[in-house]
Amino acid sequence: PVIFGDWNRLVLAGGRDGSNSLSLVIEYCLDTNQWDQFSDYPHLPTPLQQAHPVKIEDQMHLAGGWVVVNGELSSCPTSITTCEIKPDREDKSRMWRKDVLPSLPNITPGACNLFGSVAVAGGQLEDGKCASDVFVLDLKDKEWLRLPSLKTACDEPSLVFFKRHLLAFGGVKSKSGLLSSSQKLVF
């Protein structure tokens, strides 16, 4: 996923090399049209793919995702991994941290920035069924607050907040396949 962009660069984290998840963080410079694997960002503490990036002020939060080893699903982390992303920092000792925020309420939800907080929707429950839950993280008290649910339970939806609408696109609906619909909550 693209985890940060400004006028002259994009920073990407994680992904997959065919059979394993990656912890690599790389940077693309639009001025030079080149990729840089030795960017100012350290590798992720856990190799991830499909994690949802949520930028809030000077921090990037990666929510959920998968870890694949030798082509097999190894785990679905419920932690949120956080990094400082100030592009002009003199201190280059950026670190990804897992212990800053509470664990996700569900496995593999969609995530986005909702009024300066981390919002998550859908995902999987512990029994493997798709969830319709929607939560927002109170960053001050560090606890999840429940919001109205999605109409259709789904795993891994793409989530975006746009013009007072929380929109969930697609995702996976149990074993019946992919969803091509969208859902919205109005704030």
Side-chain angles (χ1 to χ4, degrees):
V2 174
I3 62 167
F4 177 76
D6 62 19
W7 293 109
N8 67 349
R9 68 184 181 147
L10 299 173
V11 178
L12 288 80
R16 187 171 175 178
D17 70 357
S19 60
N20 294 302
S21 298
L22 300 172
S23 60
L24 185 66
V25 178
I26 59 174
E27 194 171 69
Y28 182 75
C29 179
L30 296 171
D31 294 337
T32 63
N33 290 325
Q34 292 186 352
W35 290 99
D36 177 11
Q37 292 188 3
F38 306 100
S39 67
D40 295 339
Y41 295 89
H43 287 340
L44 298 172
T46 303
L48 282 175
Q49 65 186 63
Q50 300 297 104
H52 293 269
V54 181
K55 180 183 180 292
I56 299 174
E57 296 179 4
D58 292 329
Q59 292 188 328
M60 181 55 60
H61 307 285
L62 294 179
W66 313 332
V67 177
V68 175
V69 178
N70 297 323
E72 298 290 324
L73 180 65
S74 171
S75 65
C76 296
T78 58
S79 59
I80 296 179
T81 306
T82 301
C83 185
E84 295 288 330
I85 59 168
K86 294 180 185 175
D88 57 350
R89 275 178 62 164
E90 292 296 322
D91 175 15
K92 301 293 185 187
S93 63
R94 293 183 173 105
M95 293 185 60
W96 292 96
R97 302 181 320 266
K98 287 184 167 185
D99 57 354
V100 178
L101 299 173
S103 294
L104 296 167
N106 295 329
I107 301 168
T108 63
C112 72
N113 180 332
L114 176 70
F115 295 118
S117 292
V118 177
V120 297
Q124 281 185 33
L125 303 170
E126 288 182 15
D127 63 6
K129 293 181 181 175
C130 291
S132 61
D133 304 327
V134 179
F135 293 92
V136 66
L137 181 59
D138 179 332
L139 292 171
K140 181 182 170 207
D141 294 333
K142 296 187 178 178
E143 64 183 20
W144 292 101
L145 306 173
R146 185 177 290 275
L147 298 176
S149 295
L150 298 173
K151 290 180 182 166
T152 303
C154 59
D155 187 18
E156 300 180 57
S158 293
L159 207 61
V160 65
F161 183 64
F162 181 72
K163 293 188 176 181
R164 304 190 59 81
H165 294 85
L166 182 63
L167 304 166
F169 295 98
V172 178
K173 173 94 173 116
S174 302
K175 295 180 182 177
S176 63
L178 302 174
L179 287 172
S180 59
S181 62
S182 62
Q183 305 177 61
K184 73 177 175 179
L185 298 172
V186 181
F187 293 89

